[in-house]
Amino acid sequence: MRAQGQNADGGMGSYHLVNGWGASYPETTGYLIPTLLAASEHLNWPEPTERAIRAAEWLLTIQRADGGWQGGRIGEGRPSIVFNTAQAIRGMLAAHNATKRDEFLVSATRAATWIIAVQEEDGAWRKHNFLGAARVYDAYVDAPLLKLHSLTGDDRFTVAAERNLAWILSQQQANGWFANCDNTIKHNDRPITHTLAYTIDGLIECGIAMGNERLITAARKAADRSLERFLTTFWLNGRYAEQWRGSGSLITTGCAQLAIAWARLHAITGDARYAEGLHRMCDLLIAIQQKSSLGPQHARGAMPGSYPIWGRYEKFAFPNWATKYFADALLCAEGRLPAF
């Protein structure tokens, strides 16, 4: 909510220790909306709902003529991007569920129609995605498409999701690791936990929505490897290479997202190790969270991108999406799984 208050448009940016507040980020504003709504209900606190609807109304005003939303932050002039658009869809669907206002569902349907129109022959998205590269973390695109099918009955959304999911499964190795999982070209051989967790959570969401055990099993293969490492050392590296060799500083976003995935798997399987991972990870992130009255007031309550804060991922910054997934993990620990 503090992030939203820094920009006059209704969107949300992030805070950097050197550069201050950045411009609003449509992608992350989109998936912050469900978090605000869930927290508002859980805490019996009306204001986060008001803020969420304001953010959704802003996203309506910047939706592109093609139906998509831009990549990057406001002012960067980037084209419509499939992954970013799908996260705005998450916000539109959450806002529609909360308000029953038709314009949010219409907006989401327009966006999803554009996404399926630019899908490529093998089921992946390249030309209209970040770096022009096909990536398995588009599993996090497929779940909103499946949700839209449940609301509209339009089978095209399920078909597109199934095609992409088939491609994603083709990229998984026997040990659970995924090829083509990083959000860079240079380090694609050792993806960050952030994009790995997008992939895992997207597969779980889709597996639940479709009743598809194969997707859940694929997600578990990767989730279990990260859980094993965490419960052995109570720490995770930021990157994991092909044989699950870790490197780099801890990335808080990825850690929180993995905790969410473990929470979902605990709900499915009842395996107590997933619950242990969730609660121990929340304890670690609570220790990292900026809570002191010392230091910049803008960062109070927020989560740094890396730990230590000078790690390579979002160095010296408090990205709004790190705080979003931290809040989601805490809600999971309170017994409230995120909607999708």
Side-chain angles (χ1 to χ4, degrees):
M1 288 164 56
R2 184 179 302 124
Q4 188 182 46
Q6 302 307 308
N7 297 321
D9 53 21
M12 298 163 198
S14 298
Y15 183 70
H16 192 281
L17 288 180
V18 177
N19 301 318
W21 286 99
S24 293
Y25 198 168
E27 172 202 335
T28 62
T29 297
Y31 63 36
L32 273 157
I33 292 169
T35 301
L36 286 168
L37 291 170
S40 183
E41 182 177 344
H42 185 71
L43 299 170
N44 193 27
W45 183 17
E47 188 177 358
T49 290
E50 297 165 8
R51 299 300 198 100
I53 303 310
R54 181 184 172 203
E57 290 171 343
W58 171 67
L59 287 172
L60 286 176
T61 69
I62 62 166
Q63 188 171 15
R64 296 283 177 80
D66 60 16
W69 275 275
Q70 68 164 79
R73 295 160 180 80
I74 292 298
E76 293 179 347
R78 299 192 189 186
S80 299
I81 296 293
V82 167
F83 186 87
N84 302 53
T85 296
Q87 309 325 310
I89 290 175
R90 288 176 182 266
M92 293 295 103
L93 294 179
H96 174 259
N97 183 61
T99 66
K100 309 307 178 190
R101 286 167 51 182
D102 288 342
E103 62 261 44
F104 295 128
L105 182 58
V106 169
S107 171
T109 304
R110 278 186 61 215
T113 300
W114 173 74
I115 287 175
I116 65 175
V118 299
Q119 189 176 29
E120 297 180 33
E121 196 63 34
D122 62 356
W125 287 279
R126 293 178 182 81
K127 181 179 178 182
H128 295 276
N129 242 341
F130 185 55
L131 301 176
R135 290 291 185 258
V136 295
Y137 57 78
D138 281 339
Y140 215 62
V141 171
D142 298 320
L145 294 180
L146 292 172
K147 181 63 175 178
L148 260 175
H149 170 258
S150 73
L151 294 171
T152 66
D154 192 330
D155 290 335
R156 296 177 303 159
F157 300 142
T158 295
V159 170
E162 288 175 340
R163 290 176 60 210
N164 183 242
L165 289 164
W167 178 82
I168 290 168
L169 293 180
S170 75
Q171 304 299 302
Q172 189 175 35
Q173 297 187 358
N175 68 357
W177 188 83
F178 286 95
N180 295 309
C181 188
D182 197 46
N183 59 354
T184 71
I185 299 297
K186 183 177 180 181
H187 302 298
N188 196 33
D189 61 332
R190 50 190 189 100
I192 55 176
T193 53
H194 176 36
T195 50
L196 176 64
Y198 272 147
T199 307
I200 293 170
D201 202 32
L203 288 171
I204 297 171
E205 289 178 329
C206 292
I208 294 171
M210 299 169 71
N212 187 324
E213 285 295 328
R214 186 183 177 199
L215 299 178
I216 302 292
T217 299
R220 288 191 70 179
K221 282 183 180 180
D224 287 355
R225 298 305 291 268
S226 63
L227 181 64
E228 289 166 9
R229 276 152 179 73
F230 181 65
L231 291 182
T232 299
T233 64
F234 303 117
W235 196 261
L236 288 177
N237 290 108
R239 292 184 175 275
Y240 285 91
E242 188 173 3
Q243 298 304 319
W244 293 97
R245 296 183 302 274
S247 62
S249 300
L250 179 143
I251 295 175
T252 60
T253 309
C255 287
Q257 290 172 274
L258 286 169
I260 295 161
W262 299 334
R264 292 195 199 277
L265 290 171
H266 177 255
I268 294 169
T269 68
D271 188 332
R273 283 174 60 83
Y274 291 126
E276 181 184 0
L278 163 67
H279 289 283
R280 286 187 178 273
M281 183 61 82
C282 284
D283 287 343
L284 173 61
L285 294 173
I286 287 168
I288 292 172
Q289 181 192 20
Q290 174 63 28
K291 298 186 292 292
S292 172
S293 59
L294 301 175
Q297 292 300 304
H298 289 295
R300 287 198 69 189
M303 183 64 64
S306 291
Y307 190 81
I309 199 169
W310 53 84
R312 289 182 63 87
Y313 182 80
E314 295 292 320
K315 184 182 294 187
F316 300 124
F318 294 83
N320 62 32
W321 56 97
T323 306
K324 173 259 186 323
Y325 285 112
F326 174 50
D328 285 346
L330 295 176
L331 286 167
C332 286
E334 289 282 293
R336 188 185 184 107
L337 296 180
F340 59 89

